Every structure is written in C-alpha cells, then in structure tokens.
Amino acid sequence: MSSLFHKDKPRYFRSVKPVYNESLPKVYIETYGCQMNSSDSEVVASIMQANGYSITENLNEADIILINTCSIRDNAEVRIWGRLENLHIEKKKRPSLLVGVIGCMAERLKEKLIERDNFVDLVVGPDAYRELPQLVRAAEGGQKGINVLLSREETYAEISPIRLDKNGVSAFVSIMRGCNNMCSYCVVPYTRGAERSRDPHTIVREVEELFANGYREVTLLGQNVNSYGWENKEESVNFAELLEMVARVNPSLRVRYSTSNPKDISDEVLYTMAMYENICNSIHLPVQSGSTRMLELMNRGYSREYYMSRIESIRNILPDCSITTDIIAGFCSETEEDHQQTLSLMEWLKCDYAFMYKYSERPNTKAARHYKDDVPETVKSQRLAEIISLQGKISLASKKKDIGKSFEVLVEGVSKRSTEFLYGRTSQNNVVVFPKENLKIGDYVYVEITGCTSSTLIANVVAE
Ligand code: 5AD
Ligand code: SF4
C-alpha cells in the first residue's frame, strides 16, 4: 500500500474533519469508555489519515476496524469481548478484514488478546499510537503486531486530531495523559501510565484552530486536570494559567474541563473561572464515598470534611456553578453505616447529576492485592439502587429550581424527538430543548425554562 506522505515524516493534516478518499484502505474506529478515549480516537484518526488511510463511518466497507477499549469495570471488558466475538464472525466472512484492539484493554491484557485464535490482529496501548500505521502494515502482510509500551513523555502534543464528533461545535482537547494518583480501586494508572502534561502552546494552537473551524466549545481533558503542570527553561504553566490562556482564545468560545480531583482543586482555579464568563460554571468533582474510612481505603487523599470544604469554596466563589460527581457503591469492607454516610453526603451536596457504579474489582490494583471484595453482590446492588433513587429525586429537584430562569445556551444539534426543536447546554452543562425558530447549530441563544424532566430542561427562546 502507498503512503500519502514521506514514510519517515508523516505530516498531520490541518483539516479537522476526515478526508474521504475512495482509493485508500479504510479504517473504522469504534470507541468505548471515557472522553479521553474519544479524544484518543481522534488522534488515532489523524495518525492513520496522515499515513495513507481513509477514515470511514461505515463498518461494512472498512478494511481495518480499531476498537478503542476501556477496562474501568469488568462489565466494560465483558461488553468489548462480546463485540470482538461479533467481529470474529465478520472476519470469517471477510478474511482480509483486520481487527485491532487499542486503548486500556490492550494495555491491560497485552498478548492475551492475540492468543485468542484469529480474534485480533494487532494490539496497541495508549502511548504507542504513532506505531499504529507500521503495525497495521505488518498485519496486512499477515504478521500479528503488538506494542504496549507506556511512555513518560508521549502527549501527542503536535498532532492535530481529526474530529469525529457529529456536531462540529464542541470538541475535546487532551491536556495531559496518565495518572499518578493510585486510587486503590482504579486500573487507570496501569493502563495509561504516569502523569505528563502537554505543552500549553500546542493546546492553545489546537483550540485556535478549532475556533477558526467553527467550534464554539472545548473541553480540556485529563485524569486529574488540577495537577496539570508544564515547564521549560523560560516559563511554567499551572492549570489555572492554562485555563486562562484557553479562555482568552476568544470570548465566544466556551471552555469546560474534566476531571478534577477534590484533593487538588485550588481556589486559584475557581477565581479564574469567576473571572472569565466563557469558562463554564460546571465542575465534575468525583467524591466516590461519603465515608472518610472508605476514602482512606480508596487512597483518595481527602476526607468527607475536606470534600465538603471544597464544595463550600466552590459555592462561595462561583454561586451559579453546577456540581456533578461519581459514586462507587460497595467498595471493600463497606458497612451499612459507611453507605448511610454516602447517602447523607449526597443529601447535603445536592449535586446536579451523578455517575453511580457498583465496585468492580480490577486485577492487580491495590484493592485487588490487599483488600477483600467482600460486600455481597446483592448488597452492592441494593446500595446502588438506593443511591440511584436518591440522586434521581435530587436531580429532578435541581432541574425544577431552574424553571422560570433564563440561560444562555449554545445550540448543539437537532432534538432527537422532533426536527422542530433544537438542543443545547447551559453554562452549567444542563441539556435544554427549545423551538428551532431561525437558529443554527453553533449559535448562542437566551432561553427561558418552562418545564423539565429529570434529565432535560424545556424552554422558550427569549432572544437570539
Ligand atoms: N469499580 C467501580 N467504579 C470504578 N470507577 C473507577 N474504578 C472503578 C472500579 N474499579 C469509577 C469511579 C471513577 C469513574 C470514572 O469510574 O467513580 O471516578
Ligand atoms: Fe478511560 Fe479509564 Fe476506561 Fe481507560 S479505563 S478508557 S482511562 S475510563
């Protein structure tokens, strides 16, 4: 197969969207897991496109299928194995089809993925995506390839991702990779390696390019954005400073970020958010448990009281800020009392939305090595159900409080229910559905909230 560019020096496209070329081999990328994985898939698309492959949205015409995988909980991996089984049937029908596993599961399972007869042709971990074209070429020649080396430096800093999003308005921008936190339940430090921050100037350039291409919202991504830190001989940049640099790209560009760790979120970041109207008033601050004993076992680095004090700072400095969180039910040795502490913290916090999970033991983590996964499955399910039910009530009440208020919304797409309606989000990251009128995707509009469900606000347009 021929490469579009000189083999040793791939050039990265300035275009932000896939360039379709019928005559080139086609790559289909399927993404599971977090926003970081979605962002990585866009880097992978860019690397493949710069090396003579065309990106397709149609699986049936693909020559190569790359599955970008997640290992965070056992059920994520079970789902992906199911998908690989389907693709195995597809491979029997089309023997030239190549299937590659990339991302966290590739890193965790390594050659175990290749050992399974004719399921997978290549396995590439999150820090080895520059090697993908070479490994795909080897696989085209019948040689199974694997590269799961983790790096202390790789940030794909200068690669312009090919945007795979549908709306052309909001984009993810990765600002760092890896994680140094070592929460005892979490597989991420093992699958994504040590934390490293990306050159802020390449971040700003990427954001400027997005704005020039019509994007109006960026979400800065990292496992723990508050510990972002980059320096060379002349300058050093922390997260608050980076946030300011990005906010200054254009006042019409919304800036969001995820994920914050409660132990590291600083007042400096909160004051920077207060200073720039285009930095959205929304913070995702995973608490995981309301019990200090559990938080210690989880190695989170904060207590219930410290988490509450960070929330108080957010509410003082950013009174309109929405807060979302993550909660794990049934971690090792969790008692009914610990669980009640989680419920009481939720009542106090009244967060706008929560991602809620049952603890799932991950091989080789500190928890798997040192603690017993001893909360019975039925108890985990019962506690999770109680957490979900409580959050449902809190989310609905928080939506109802918005009825009668006005918000500025960025128009992001056409409502799934009716083409006469559009949807967008408030600064607080709440989804709003409103009549289409003469609005286009990418416009800002003022709306007044007239009603809600537990997940969506309904509104009228008040000013375009
Ligand atoms: N089991 C259950 N939930 C987990 N999370 C991370 N690891 C696990 C695990 N082993 C959750 C945490 C984290 C979110 C991304 O996933 O709540 O914040
Ligand atoms: Fe993302 Fe973690 Fe899943 Fe990897 S394991 S894809 S970092 S959620």
Side-chain angles (χ1 to χ4, degrees):
M1 73 123 278
S2 68
S3 172
L4 273 184
F5 300 114
H6 191 280
K7 287 222 170 54
D8 301 329
K9 276 194 183 165
R11 265 185 45 205
Y12 293 101
F13 280 79
R14 297 332 278 168
S15 81
V16 295
K17 283 285 169 191
V19 177
Y20 191 75
N21 184 332
E22 187 54 48
S23 64
L24 296 175
K26 289 169 197 58
V27 183
Y28 177 88
I29 308 174
E30 193 166 289
T31 308
Y32 295 83
C34 61
Q35 296 168 335
M36 200 61 138
N37 256 19
S38 303
S39 168
D40 278 3
S41 288
E42 300 188 327
V43 167
V44 166
S46 178
I47 291 172
M48 294 308 285
Q49 189 164 285
N51 282 276
Y53 292 84
S54 191
I55 308 300
T56 178
E57 286 185 6
N58 179 357
L59 184 135
N60 295 322
E61 65 166 21
D63 302 292
I64 303 126
I65 298 175
L66 297 176
I67 311 288
N68 197 354
T69 56
C70 174
S71 293
I72 197 94
R73 282 167 291 275
D74 187 52
N75 56 12
E77 290 198 359
V78 168
R79 192 169 155 224
I80 291 160
W81 275 116
R83 185 66 178 132
L84 290 173
E85 267 163 34
N86 287 340
L87 292 175
H88 185 57
I89 298 168
E90 190 69 23
K91 266 166 90 62
K92 282 191 188 144
K93 285 190 235 150
R94 283 201 284 151
S96 66
L97 178 68
L98 297 178
V99 173
V101 173
I102 63 175
C104 292
M105 223 170 132
E107 194 62 52
R108 199 181 82 72
L109 294 174
K110 303 184 171 62
E111 43 285 302
K112 284 200 194 102
L113 283 158
I114 285 186
E115 280 159 15
R116 199 139 169 211
D117 189 34
N118 199 29
F119 261 56
V120 177
D121 302 287
L122 61 149
V123 174
V124 184
D127 285 347
Y129 294 150
R130 288 181 203 262
E131 300 301 315
L132 255 171
Q134 210 176 305
L135 290 164
V136 169
R137 258 174 236 129
E140 283 163 347
Q143 206 185 325
K144 298 221 172 204
I146 176 160
N147 188 338
V148 287
L149 287 176
L150 287 173
S151 154
R152 292 201 161 264
E153 285 93 37
E154 181 62 272
T155 59
Y156 303 110
E158 81 297 355
I159 296 180
S160 257
I162 296 291
R163 303 295 161 183
L164 302 173
D165 65 280
K166 294 280 185 291
N167 69 9
V169 171
S170 28
F172 295 128
V173 175
S174 160
I175 62 164
M176 60 207 292
R177 300 183 70 79
C179 185
N180 284 354
N181 275 343
M182 304 308 274
C183 301
S184 59
Y185 52 78
C186 187
V187 76
V188 175
Y190 306 93
T191 61
R192 288 186 164 267
E195 181 184 292
R196 67 226 96 119
S197 295
R198 178 179 167 193
D199 178 337
H201 302 289
T202 68
I203 297 170
V204 169
R205 230 176 291 139
E206 184 177 326
V207 172
E208 285 169 347
E209 192 175 294
L210 283 165
F211 190 80
N213 278 281
Y215 282 80
R216 291 295 173 264
E217 180 183 88
V218 291
T219 303
L220 307 181
L221 292 182
Q223 302 297 343
N224 179 9
V225 291
N226 304 104
S227 69
Y228 175 89
W230 183 88
E231 58 183 12
N232 66 10
K233 284 196 194 98
E234 289 93 48
E235 55 176 342
S236 74
V237 178
N238 68 17
F239 181 61
E241 291 159 340
L242 176 73
L243 205 49
E244 179 157 21
M245 286 162 77
V246 174
R248 285 178 157 211
V249 166
N250 197 296
S252 300
L253 179 79
R254 278 186 166 181
V255 184
R256 300 184 185 277
Y257 62 87
S258 187
T259 294
S260 297
N261 189 307
K263 75 178 167 54
D264 295 317
I265 188 166
S266 66
D267 282 356
E268 189 190 358
V269 166
L270 304 179
Y271 285 119
T272 306
M273 291 175 73
M275 221 153 58
Y276 289 89
E277 216 176 311
N278 58 330
I279 305 179
C280 289
N281 271 334
S282 147
I283 297 179
H284 185 59
L285 203 63
V287 64
Q288 314 299 3
S289 169
S291 150
T292 297
R293 190 181 76 84
M294 284 291 104
L295 291 170
E296 264 168 28
L297 280 180
M298 289 175 169
N299 201 25
R300 289 290 287 172
Y302 57 86
S303 61
R304 172 189 176 98
E305 289 69 30
Y306 187 78
Y307 184 85
M308 292 168 90
S309 74
R310 294 318 296 140
I311 297 293
E312 273 164 359
S313 290
I314 296 171
R315 299 230 153 110
N316 284 334
I317 299 169
L318 299 163
D320 290 334
C321 189
S322 71
I323 291 164
T324 54
T325 198
D326 293 347
I327 296 170
I328 299 177
F331 185 61
C332 310
S333 83
E334 187 187 71
T335 61
E336 181 57 30
E337 198 189 324
D338 294 314
H339 170 59
Q340 289 301 327
Q341 296 234 320
T342 296
L343 295 176
S344 75
L345 186 80
M346 290 170 69
E347 297 262 21
W348 177 85
L349 178 61
K350 295 212 173 9
C351 77
D352 296 80
Y353 187 80
F355 298 89
M356 299 156 285
Y357 312 102
K358 265 193 270 185
Y359 171 59
S360 160
E361 186 178 86
R362 308 312 294 130
N364 297 324
T365 54
K366 184 174 175 204
R369 282 181 283 121
H370 297 292
Y371 312 140
K372 249 172 114 182
D373 181 12
D374 55 0
V375 178
E377 195 54 33
T378 49
V379 176
K380 281 186 189 171
S381 298
Q382 175 61 32
R383 290 182 186 165
L384 180 65
E386 287 171 23
I387 288 171
I388 291 174
S389 153
L390 174 59
Q391 185 55 43
K393 287 181 205 139
I394 296 172
S395 293
L396 182 61
S398 116
K399 293 266 177 307
K400 279 188 175 157
K401 276 213 313 233
D402 285 341
I403 295 176
K405 292 188 192 160
S406 294
F407 293 95
E408 189 182 35
V409 166
L410 172 63
V411 183
E412 290 177 39
V414 178
S415 160
K416 277 194 203 115
R417 296 249 174 96
S418 157
T419 53
E420 288 309 303
F421 286 80
L422 298 173
Y423 74 88
R425 274 172 302 148
T426 62
S427 171
Q428 289 76 9
N429 214 14
N430 286 319
V431 176
V432 188
V433 173
F434 45 92
K436 185 164 105 190
E437 306 202 349
N438 293 322
L439 295 159
K440 314 184 291 307
I441 293 170
D443 286 347
Y444 283 100
V445 58
Y446 279 94
V447 299
E448 187 182 310
I449 309 302
T450 54
C452 70
T453 68
S454 67
S455 62
T456 310
L457 298 169
I458 322 285
N460 283 331
V461 174
V462 286
E464 290 181 18

